[in-house]
Amino acid sequence: PENRPARRSIMGKIEFAATRRALGGGDRPLFSTVALADREDDEHESVVSQLSHSCLKVGLVSTMPRVDLSGNGKDRITHCAVLVHDIRHSAPDQLRGFLGTVDAVGHFLNPWGHGRTQCQSWLTHFAVLLKFENDERLWIFERDTGGVDLYPLDQGRTRDFRWKWRQWIRYDDSRPVARACNLAFCGNDFHDERSYGRTAQRQDVWNRYHEQRSIEYNLLTKNCQHFAYDFYKWTIEHVWIRWMNFPDFGKMIQGEFVNESELTSFE
């Protein structure tokens, strides 16, 4: 806006400059808002330009969703987990320094449970890992800034993965290794029958995909963490997460990830 104030507060919201034009499309912003420290407007334009370019390189902006709607729609969901990784590990130097600044400010304002890693919730990515009956493959279901992804992982990549606690997996070469948090199993953590009928099936994942793909990514209100929460709450109806609110869900997953990260060395 032409009449915006010359300075913004430390937690003021600014629009990212990354647009679909950067990806060869229109002018609609891919990102919504992010909190930054006080900066003059002329500095703001330079910082946002650098950040947008870095986000493209880091993979925070997906140029095209990966979607595979194959399989039998009546196959039950048998296992699921939330995969969590720290986006700073794969960030280039020019973005890593900025993220570190955001992290330090966030740690000061919100110090719960971050320990030595100071891992703030907005600096992590959540993805849902799925296993269906009659299918040996593991599937990724996630939201990122480019849309909603649903695709199977190469079995060579998942050969050593076990549905046990303290499991790590690199599901994408462009991303760091991810921690499998809150493993859930059909018949134990979510039931064969949900409140509105049959057990959760592959077709319910397809339905959520079609629903979510029409919703624009928003860093504050419709991001990867909301996506994972909604899946646990509404799609599989997890027996106790369905009664949690979103902040408590995020805090629980973050705490599990950070505590394990401090005890584990990995590339």
Side-chain angles (χ1 to χ4, degrees):
E2 295 180 359
N3 298 325
R4 66 186 178 187
R7 295 183 65 83
R8 300 172 182 268
S9 66
I10 192 169
M11 295 303 286
K13 297 174 182 178
I14 68 169
E15 291 187 355
F16 275 124
T19 66
R20 293 199 183 278
R21 177 177 294 171
L23 301 178
D27 293 330
R28 184 162 60 91
L30 285 172
F31 289 87
S32 296
T33 56
V34 68
L36 291 179
D38 283 32
R39 292 185 179 274
E40 300 289 351
D41 274 2
D42 56 350
E43 295 178 313
H44 157 258
E45 298 300 336
S46 174
V47 170
V48 172
S49 177
Q50 294 178 31
L51 178 60
S52 302
H53 178 67
S54 298
C55 286
L56 287 166
K57 291 172 66 177
V58 148
L60 300 183
V61 177
S62 175
T63 56
M64 182 179 297
R66 287 174 283 182
V67 182
D68 184 338
L69 300 181
S70 64
N72 187 338
K74 295 187 180 299
D75 287 342
R76 294 183 308 153
I77 301 171
T78 59
H79 304 66
C80 62
V82 179
L83 298 183
V84 186
H85 69 75
D86 185 342
I87 66 173
R88 294 171 304 170
H89 286 216
S90 57
D93 292 340
Q94 62 267 40
L95 180 58
R96 191 175 304 158
F98 172 77
L99 293 177
T101 300
V102 174
D103 191 29
V105 172
H107 182 70
F108 175 76
L109 297 175
N110 181 32
W112 56 261
H114 295 298
R116 295 187 300 276
T117 64
Q118 298 185 338
C119 185
Q120 300 296 320
S121 62
W122 54 82
L123 298 181
T124 57
H125 178 74
F126 286 13
V128 177
L129 183 68
L130 295 172
K131 174 76 170 63
F132 299 98
E133 67 178 348
N134 304 317
D135 190 344
E136 294 302 317
R137 299 170 297 175
L138 302 185
W139 291 69
I140 292 294
F141 192 31
E142 64 180 347
R143 174 189 291 282
D144 65 17
T145 53
V148 177
D149 294 332
L150 173 61
Y151 61 93
L153 294 174
D154 181 82
Q155 289 182 280
R157 187 181 294 276
T158 62
R159 184 180 299 111
D160 296 328
F161 182 82
R162 300 292 182 269
W163 288 94
K164 298 179 180 180
W165 297 108
R166 299 184 175 180
Q167 291 287 301
W168 296 84
I169 182 172
R170 188 183 299 277
Y171 68 93
D172 189 318
D173 288 337
S174 66
R175 305 183 189 228
V177 66
R179 167 72 150 84
C181 299
N182 203 270
L183 278 63
F185 306 94
C186 183
N188 183 40
D189 302 293
F190 55 100
H191 296 311
D192 288 336
E193 296 294 329
R194 295 173 295 170
S195 61
Y196 51 91
R198 55 172 174 69
T199 185
Q201 299 175 348
R202 192 190 299 265
Q203 61 188 354
D204 297 302
V205 176
W206 295 341
N207 290 340
R208 180 152 293 274
Y209 163 76
H210 288 298
E211 172 194 86
Q212 293 294 311
R213 67 191 290 264
S214 64
I215 301 174
E216 184 177 359
Y217 180 94
N218 186 292
L219 187 66
L220 299 180
T221 62
K222 213 64 177 173
N223 58 38
C224 60
Q225 298 183 17
H226 294 94
F227 185 85
Y229 170 72
D230 288 346
F231 183 85
Y232 268 65
K233 181 179 178 71
W234 301 111
T235 302
I236 66 170
E237 293 190 357
H238 190 283
V239 292
W240 47 269
I241 288 179
R242 61 184 297 192
W243 305 113
M244 295 180 73
N245 57 37
F246 172 70
D248 288 341
F249 172 80
K251 182 177 179 179
M252 173 188 69
I253 299 295
Q254 284 294 115
E256 185 177 346
F257 171 70
V258 171
N259 290 338
E260 188 65 22
S261 296
E262 292 184 345
L263 298 175
T264 306
S265 297
F266 55 87
E267 295 297 329

